[in-house]
């Protein structure tokens, strides 16, 4: 059956404090004990076998700590918060990056990476409001998983069938994999531009402006009369 979302968050709150203090084993132990009682349905995983669980989790810790973070222009303490967030996302399989978002709140130090910013400028992505810390940590997570994959197939003598990409310093994951058609990339860029526009327009006091992005997008794509009226108001209000 697995834990309820609220129960996972409650456990994750305890675990992230331990991970920030580099007690990764303690954090993993809390998750293992909870899952042993109420397993999430992972196929082939015996959550009661702490030795096997920690062997897998400690491997992740090793690769996570050995990843190159020299492109992070922050304090050592902030980097430790980032690594804690990465580990918590791995530990509980948080697809919404709960661990990264929570460590951002706890650390209170703004993320900074000159190499990432240069990359975004080169890719014509810098003007978009995508969260830099999420881009950065998503890239590191992909590298960690890829390096573990290559280590495992090397040990077991298996062929490489997945070919996961390892991103070099100054190269980052923007939500699409290498070889993605330009049409797909441009569609994502336009969606982000439109979403940024919605966020900017929603705070300037436009009369009868929609509360949801979905409604705004429908009118924007149709270039409706309502959309044109909103844009006329926006051009005036944003100058005030």
């Amino acid at each position: 059956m697995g834990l309820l979302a609220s129960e996972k968050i409650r456990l994750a709150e305890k675990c992230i404090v331990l991970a920030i203090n580099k007690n990764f084993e303690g954090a993993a132990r809390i998750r293992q004990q909870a899952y042993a009682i109420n397993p999430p349905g992972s196929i082939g995983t015996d959550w009661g076998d702490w030795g096997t669980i920690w062997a897998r989790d400690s491997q992740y810790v090793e690769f996570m700590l050995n990843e190159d973070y020299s492109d992070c222009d922050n304090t050592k303490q902030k980097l430790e918060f980032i690594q804690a967030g990465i580990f918590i996302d791995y530990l509980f399989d948080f697809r919404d990056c709960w661990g990264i978002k929570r460590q951002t709140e706890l650390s209170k130090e703004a993320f900074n990476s000159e190499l990432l910013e240069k990359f975004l400028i080169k890719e014509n992505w810098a003007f978009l409001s995508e969260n830099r810390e999420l881009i950065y940590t998503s890239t590191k997570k992909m590298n960690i998983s890829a390096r573990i994959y290559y280590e495992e197939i090397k040990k077991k003598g298996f062929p490489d069938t997945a070919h996961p990409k390892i991103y070099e310093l100054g190269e980052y994951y923007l939500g699409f994999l290498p070889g993605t058609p330009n049409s797909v990339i441009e569609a994502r860029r336009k969606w982000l531009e439109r979403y940024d526009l919605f966020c900017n327009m929603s705070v300037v006091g436009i009369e009868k402006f929609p509360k949801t992005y979905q409604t705004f997008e429908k009118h924007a794509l149709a270039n409706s009369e309502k959309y044109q009226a909103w844009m006329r108001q926006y051009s005036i209000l944003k100058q005030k």
Side-chain angles (χ1 to χ4, degrees):
M1 178 180 176
L3 298 174
L4 296 174
S6 59
E7 294 173 324
K8 284 180 70 173
I9 295 299
R10 180 179 58 80
L11 289 174
E13 288 283 8
K14 294 180 180 179
C15 291
I16 197 167
V17 175
L18 293 173
I20 287 170
N21 290 290
K22 298 184 179 180
N23 187 358
F24 300 109
E25 184 173 358
R29 187 66 160 152
I30 287 175
R31 184 266 259 131
Q32 177 265 329
Q33 289 175 335
Y35 281 10
I37 297 171
N38 199 347
S42 308
I43 299 175
T45 300
D46 180 2
W47 289 103
D49 184 357
W50 165 243
T52 300
I53 297 299
W54 176 237
R56 183 184 64 193
D57 292 345
S58 62
Q59 180 190 47
Y60 191 90
V61 171
E62 178 185 357
F63 278 83
M64 179 184 72
L65 295 179
N66 287 333
E67 183 62 26
D68 190 346
Y69 300 94
S70 60
D71 52 344
C72 176
D73 302 321
N74 283 95
T75 63
K76 180 174 179 290
Q77 183 183 48
K78 173 61 177 178
L79 179 55
E80 290 171 353
F81 273 79
I82 288 173
Q83 290 170 335
I86 289 174
F87 185 64
I88 295 304
D89 282 343
Y90 153 78
L91 209 59
F92 290 96
D93 193 27
F94 284 135
R95 304 299 175 88
D96 63 351
C97 300
W98 182 92
I100 293 301
K101 294 172 184 176
R102 185 66 178 123
Q103 67 79 24
T104 299
E105 297 170 348
L106 294 171
S107 72
K108 297 182 173 63
E109 180 180 340
F111 172 77
N112 185 39
S113 171
E114 185 177 346
L115 276 181
L116 172 57
E117 209 58 40
K118 287 181 178 178
F119 175 80
L120 295 177
I121 292 171
K122 179 172 68 74
E123 297 296 320
N124 193 27
W125 219 259
F127 66 95
L128 298 170
S129 61
E130 277 199 289
N131 187 306
R132 269 54 171 169
E133 198 160 358
L134 291 182
I135 294 174
Y136 183 83
T137 51
S138 293
T139 304
K140 298 306 179 184
K141 289 176 187 177
M142 294 187 76
N143 277 4
I144 294 163
S145 296
R147 294 186 199 282
I148 291 174
Y149 166 81
Y150 286 121
E151 179 71 14
E152 287 297 304
I153 64 169
K154 180 180 177 182
K155 282 182 181 178
K156 297 176 181 179
F158 292 161
D160 173 18
T161 56
H163 315 299
K165 179 177 175 57
I166 293 177
Y167 292 80
E168 302 297 332
L169 281 182
E171 185 182 19
Y172 301 91
Y173 174 67
L174 294 177
F176 42 82
L177 296 172
T180 300
N182 284 334
S183 59
V184 175
I185 297 172
E186 285 306 311
R188 175 168 167 75
R189 193 196 311 274
K190 288 178 180 177
W191 186 93
L192 289 166
E193 289 177 6
R194 196 159 48 244
Y195 185 77
D196 283 353
L197 178 61
F198 167 75
C199 292
N200 292 333
M201 293 177 72
S202 65
V203 297
V204 297
I206 296 172
E207 185 179 351
K208 296 182 179 180
F209 192 74
K211 294 182 179 180
T212 68
Y213 172 73
Q214 288 75 15
T215 301
F216 172 78
E217 183 181 46
K218 180 182 72 174
H219 286 282
L221 292 175
N223 195 27
S224 69
E225 290 185 7
K226 285 186 177 181
Y227 174 74
Q228 293 177 35
W230 297 332
M231 290 301 294
R232 285 193 294 271
Q233 287 187 61
Y234 180 59
S235 65
I236 297 170
L237 292 170
K238 70 178 181 180
Q239 297 175 16
K240 292 183 178 181

